[in-house]
Amino acid sequence: MSLSFLLDDANPANWNQWFHSGIFHGITTNPTLLRHADQKCTLENLKCLVEEAKDIGCKEFHIQAWGESANDIANCGFELGKLSTPEMQVNVKVPITRLGSFAAKKLIVSNISVTLTACYEIKQALIASSLGASYLAPYLGRINDQGREALSELISMQKILEGTNSKCKILVASIRSANEINYLASEGIKIFAINTKIAEELFSSDLTLKAAQKFEEDIKINS
């Protein structure tokens, strides 16, 4: 597969702005992003958001399930999984805890795509591989905040998944710089959840803007 960017944002206004750029394949959300965007974390509201995302061409939508027990999380996940359509895959996000793994297994055996989130440890790649999750989402920036070498740890996670012949893919979250994407992409990691700040950084190049402006000036002179 080729490189894939997911917009890490729960604000439909930002979706509309950035999907026009053409670089985004999908959207990731979580309860915290929903709160920051003043969006209710309810099944009813999430159904509306899924429709909005589908209308702008989103192909993949990651939504976090919730509940106080494994059964509660799984039942929520089943309802979220029903929101998938032929045009857009809904992936159910579940924290990679012991409780979460119980719920994730129930969803996975029912052919619901699961993203294991809140990953902080290399060894959690073993859990993702064993469960048969579709995605594992390590928090790059937050791992760095612990004083660890997050980039090398994510590469180790990737090697575990490859070494166990897992179909699970690394979905890098908590990205602080486009340079981090440069490095990880060069090492074969291909899926990145980025916010609008990082998206702006990807397009930021004064030299490119100057070159584009010069082309337009020359067209006007020579037409």
Side-chain angles (χ1 to χ4, degrees):
M1 65 173 292
S2 60
L3 187 142
S4 179
F5 285 124
L6 307 175
L7 184 58
D8 199 27
D9 196 295
N11 187 336
N14 291 336
W15 302 349
N16 281 298
Q17 177 185 358
W18 277 101
F19 262 75
H20 291 308
S21 71
I23 69 169
F24 286 103
H25 176 73
I27 294 167
T28 63
T29 65
N30 61 42
T32 303
L33 289 174
L34 289 166
R35 180 172 61 85
H36 289 164
D38 292 324
Q39 294 287 342
K40 292 187 179 298
C41 190
T42 64
L43 286 172
E44 182 179 1
N45 188 53
L46 289 170
K47 288 178 183 178
C48 295
L49 291 177
V50 164
E51 287 300 316
E52 289 192 57
K54 186 172 64 175
D55 288 345
I56 62 170
C58 176
K59 300 301 182 185
E60 195 168 304
F61 200 126
H62 296 247
I63 313 174
Q64 190 160 322
W66 62 89
E68 295 183 359
S69 69
N71 283 334
D72 288 343
I73 296 170
N75 288 336
C76 179
F78 286 128
E79 293 302 312
L80 294 173
K82 292 177 184 177
L83 302 179
S84 282
T85 68
E87 297 80 24
M88 188 178 77
Q89 171 75 49
V90 171
N91 299 273
V92 178
K93 297 173 73 173
V94 179
I96 191 167
T97 61
R98 186 174 179 179
L99 192 70
S101 73
F102 293 158
K105 190 62 178 180
K106 290 185 177 185
L107 296 169
I108 291 165
V109 297
S110 298
N111 295 317
I112 293 175
S113 179
V114 167
T115 299
L116 292 172
T117 189
C119 172
Y120 280 88
E121 311 288 343
I122 296 172
K123 61 189 176 185
Q124 290 171 322
L126 300 171
I127 299 172
S129 179
S130 178
L131 285 173
S134 297
Y135 295 97
L136 175 65
Y139 288 174
L140 177 66
R142 297 183 192 178
I143 294 172
N144 274 327
D145 291 342
Q146 307 305 308
R148 291 149 52 193
E149 294 293 333
L151 291 173
S152 63
E153 291 195 15
L154 264 65
I155 297 303
S156 294
M157 293 178 195
Q158 174 82 349
K159 288 181 178 178
I160 287 172
L161 295 177
E162 292 174 350
T164 57
N165 294 319
S166 174
K167 294 182 179 180
C168 182
K169 298 177 282 293
I170 297 288
L171 193 174
V172 186
S174 185
I175 296 167
R176 306 275 174 80
S177 166
N179 285 334
E180 295 171 335
I181 300 174
N182 292 341
Y183 179 80
L184 292 172
S186 72
E187 293 291 332
I189 292 177
K190 300 177 180 179
I191 308 171
F192 302 91
I194 64 174
N195 58 27
T196 56
K197 180 181 177 181
I198 299 299
E200 291 278 7
E201 186 180 344
L202 288 175
F203 283 100
S204 177
S205 173
D206 289 341
L207 292 175
T208 298
L209 287 175
K210 288 179 181 178
Q213 289 169 357
K214 183 64 166 61
F215 293 149
E216 290 299 319
E217 291 169 2
D218 289 342
I219 289 169
K220 291 176 182 178
I221 292 171
N222 197 38
S223 61

